[in-house]
Amino acid sequence: MMTLEKTKHTHLQKAEEYVRDVFETVKERNAHETEFIQAVKEVFDSLVPVLAKHPKYIEQNILERIVEPERLLSFRVSWVDDHGKVQVNRGYRVQFNSAIGPYKGGLRFHPTVTASVVKFLGFEQIFKNSLTGQPIGGGKGGSDFDPKGKSDGEIMRFTQSFMTELWKHIGPDVDVPAGDIGVGAREIGYMFGQYKKLKGAYEAGVLTGKGVGVGGSLARTEATGYGTVYFMEEMLKSRGLSFDGQTVVVSGSGNVSIYAIEKATELGATVVACSDSDGYIYDKEGINLDTLKKIKEAGNERISEYVKEHPHAEYTEDGSGIWSIPCDVALPCATQNEIGEPSAKLLVANGVKAVGEGANMPSTLEAIDTFLNNDILFGPAKAANAGGVAVSAFEMAQNSSRVPWTFEEVDAKLHETMKNIYQNSVNAAEEYGFANNLVVGANIAGFIKVADAMIAQGVI
Ligand code: NDP
């Protein structure tokens, strides 16, 4: 007769083999999609203990199903520039998983957008959205259109053309896009206008991240940055620490970064650095938010402008050098793979205590290992930056009830959501024998709900 220990061992071996086999197939079938493969690896590695404990997920081939998008749309976006020339970009929407609700996830406009980038973001979004506790599935989209240097008219013509194709595939109960890199309230507003015109109906809940005057939620702009800081506040508390008195470095200077800086500063931290894709600012007195907002939100200028108003601050070209600045808390809030192993080692050597991912997949797998092996508090993106999509779901709720909430109400619900995500991730990590590893905890907590919903809906 098999002992309990032996049975457990066999289940573990089976789970490891299953994960290995499915991962090999993912690599073969998506050979050139490096970002997507990286995102899948991170999730799959976390799931072995769950699959060992609950063989039903193996019997139901859940991993094979969950890595295959329900739908991947790729389309031509033609538009006319200010010189009367026709330009062509490529648009994407990945509708990855609708087991727990309509597809939900942002649109990114950046020259680096490819099918691989959209798929990695859409895949992560499945688990992130599940973690929020809201009924939203996973999706993502965007275009290789570069908004930098484009006039307002060009942005409008591009976004209208983008929506002229996308509107057929979305809807308040089908797929609800939002913003991401290069897409803010202005772009969402133009897309909403075009959707309304084509659809012939005012369906406010078809897009989130709208301006407050067109059905947007208060505190949506702040949500991702604030949420990341709320999440990291809980992590710091677990070691008797707080933001008060800490030195913080935040990469990027866009939507997520600005509001992460705002909340961390409000909680007593000194944020000494931020960046853009050209370089970084180091201001040891603390980044002046009014100046930053004036440069970035109002003017859309380069971060190098900062030193004109604050000559004591230093500007260094090449944003990746930002991780050489000693800090207690690092918040990567710019883009994927911005912290590689060398930067992670540098942060650790300089005494970093906590790293919270405001951006999506900003740390490489090697960088994550470096943090975890050195017992650094590490808040993974799926959990730490889920505040943005959580408030997007609140925006959908306000749109369907036609009752707007106050800033304070939204902020309080956001705070509570981030605390719940933290606690659920901690609990899942502990239950499966990986205490303090929130990468594993967040992946498991996000996965179980989606996998069970997929099983409940049969093989579809
Ligand atoms: P923004 O467009 O507002 O800002 C992006 C910032 O990151 C800019 O400072 C930009 O610099 C910098 N950046 C972008 N791409 C690169 C690159 N390839 N190399 C170096 N710097 C770069 O975007 P968001 O703040 O909305 O998004 C930032 C991150 O947060 C992304 O990973 C996004 O997916 C993630 N996120 C965003 C959410 C949201 O609600 N907005 C929700 C959850 C996650 P520059 O101006 O020079 O390009």
Side-chain angles (χ1 to χ4, degrees):
M1 225 172 60
M2 253 197 174
T3 64
L4 189 61
E5 273 316 300
K6 257 196 182 158
T7 313
K8 268 191 184 168
H9 183 70
T10 315
H11 283 167
L12 193 65
Q13 257 183 343
K14 263 198 182 158
E16 280 169 351
E17 273 165 31
Y18 172 65
V19 166
R20 213 172 24 241
D21 289 351
V22 182
F23 185 62
E24 283 309 311
T25 313
V26 170
K27 282 201 293 188
E28 267 169 40
R29 297 183 82 177
N30 307 278
H32 304 293
E33 299 185 341
T34 50
E35 294 89 354
F36 176 57
I37 291 169
Q38 180 183 339
V40 170
K41 176 141 184 62
E42 192 229 81
V43 172
F44 274 19
D45 284 349
S46 302
L47 296 181
V48 172
V50 184
L51 302 169
K53 192 168 171 187
H54 305 287
K56 64 176 177 182
Y57 298 129
I58 303 180
E59 286 151 21
Q60 292 275 345
N61 278 353
I62 286 294
L63 293 193
E64 286 93 329
R65 289 157 65 185
I66 215 164
V67 287
E68 201 56 36
E70 289 177 20
R71 204 166 294 105
L72 173 62
L73 308 161
S74 162
F75 50 94
R76 182 176 69 206
V77 188
S78 316
W79 55 282
V80 180
D81 69 16
D82 284 348
H83 308 288
K85 254 193 105 192
V86 176
Q87 301 286 344
V88 179
N89 286 96
R90 192 171 282 178
Y92 299 97
R93 185 73 184 164
V94 61
Q95 299 181 328
F96 226 118
N97 193 299
S98 62
I100 62 168
Y103 312 106
K104 179 93 199 83
L107 297 170
R108 176 179 292 191
F109 293 166
H110 195 272
T112 56
V113 168
T114 59
S116 170
V117 167
V118 168
K119 280 175 69 181
F120 111 67
L121 290 163
F123 183 68
E124 296 223 311
Q125 199 81 41
I126 303 170
F127 308 99
K128 180 189 309 198
N129 292 1
S130 164
L131 280 172
T132 65
Q134 301 292 318
I136 40 180
K140 199 83 189 188
S143 172
D144 58 0
F145 171 74
D146 186 358
K148 263 195 211 114
K150 301 289 188 300
S151 70
D152 190 55
E154 289 178 321
I155 299 275
M156 183 161 65
R157 290 192 293 279
F158 171 78
T159 49
Q160 287 175 338
S161 177
F162 185 85
M163 189 48 84
T164 301
E165 174 61 30
L166 190 65
W167 81 280
K168 300 169 215 163
H169 311 286
I170 62 175
D173 295 318
V174 180
D175 183 357
V176 183
D180 191 79
I181 292 178
V183 180
R186 174 181 60 163
E187 291 74 18
I188 294 288
Y190 293 156
M191 284 192 269
F192 179 63
Q194 186 73 353
Y195 177 86
K196 191 182 63 164
K197 189 168 176 171
L198 292 163
K199 183 81 194 209
Y202 198 106
E203 292 178 348
V206 69
L207 288 161
T208 60
K210 300 179 293 293
V212 174
V214 280
S217 175
L218 289 166
R220 174 62 186 89
T221 308
E222 292 82 356
T224 309
Y226 278 20
T228 301
V229 172
Y230 290 148
F231 187 89
M232 294 314 293
E233 196 183 15
E234 296 304 305
M235 285 205 89
L236 288 167
K237 261 192 223 163
S238 72
R239 294 209 177 151
L241 301 167
S242 73
F243 269 98
D244 195 21
Q246 309 284 359
T247 299
V248 178
V249 167
V250 176
S251 64
S253 49
N255 172 252
V256 180
S257 314
I258 287 176
Y259 293 96
I261 296 173
E262 184 165 283
K263 186 50 76 179
T265 308
E266 206 179 294
L267 295 178
T270 306
V271 182
V272 295
C274 65
S275 62
D276 60 22
S277 51
D278 293 335
Y280 68 89
I281 292 290
Y282 175 50
D283 184 344
K284 55 178 179 299
E285 290 175 14
I287 296 289
N288 183 303
L289 253 181
D290 290 339
T291 308
L292 186 67
K293 285 185 178 177
K294 199 166 70 187
I295 296 170
K296 287 292 172 182
E297 287 190 327
N300 204 14
E301 306 268 0
R302 307 315 297 156
I303 192 83
S304 52
E305 293 291 307
Y306 184 93
V307 286
K308 287 190 186 153
E309 277 194 39
H310 304 278
H312 64 272
E314 292 162 30
Y315 173 71
T316 308
E317 257 176 42
D318 181 14
S320 62
I322 194 169
W323 305 120
S324 64
I325 300 170
C327 61
D328 302 307
V329 181
L331 302 177
C333 296
T335 195
Q336 63 269 14
N337 293 328
E338 53 170 310
I339 303 187
E341 194 177 14
S343 298
K345 283 186 170 158
L346 203 54
L347 280 163
V348 171
N350 286 336
V352 76
K353 297 171 193 151
V355 178
E357 297 190 317
N360 283 313
M361 206 168 78
S363 316
T364 62
L365 294 171
E366 296 76 19
I368 295 175
D369 283 344
T370 305
F371 296 134
L372 294 178
N373 293 339
N374 284 281
D375 205 24
I376 309 299
L377 293 167
F378 181 71
K382 282 184 206 83
N385 73 28
V389 74
V391 173
S392 273
F394 300 159
E395 186 172 328
M396 290 162 75
Q398 294 171 73
N399 291 152
S400 40
S401 69
R402 299 177 197 271
V403 180
W405 305 350
T406 64
F407 187 97
E408 290 70 26
E409 266 176 284
V410 179
D411 190 32
K413 283 192 162 71
L414 166 67
H415 202 157
E416 192 191 319
T417 301
M418 299 316 294
K419 284 182 173 177
N420 288 342
I421 294 175
Y422 170 74
Q423 205 47 57
N424 291 341
S425 304
V426 167
N427 294 348
E430 273 171 13
E431 184 184 340
Y432 287 92
F434 287 83
N436 299 325
N437 184 336
L438 295 197
V439 175
V440 170
N443 284 336
I444 291 179
F447 169 80
I448 288 177
K449 202 172 126 191
V450 175
D452 287 345
M454 287 170 77
I455 293 173
Q457 289 168 46
V459 180
I460 46 167

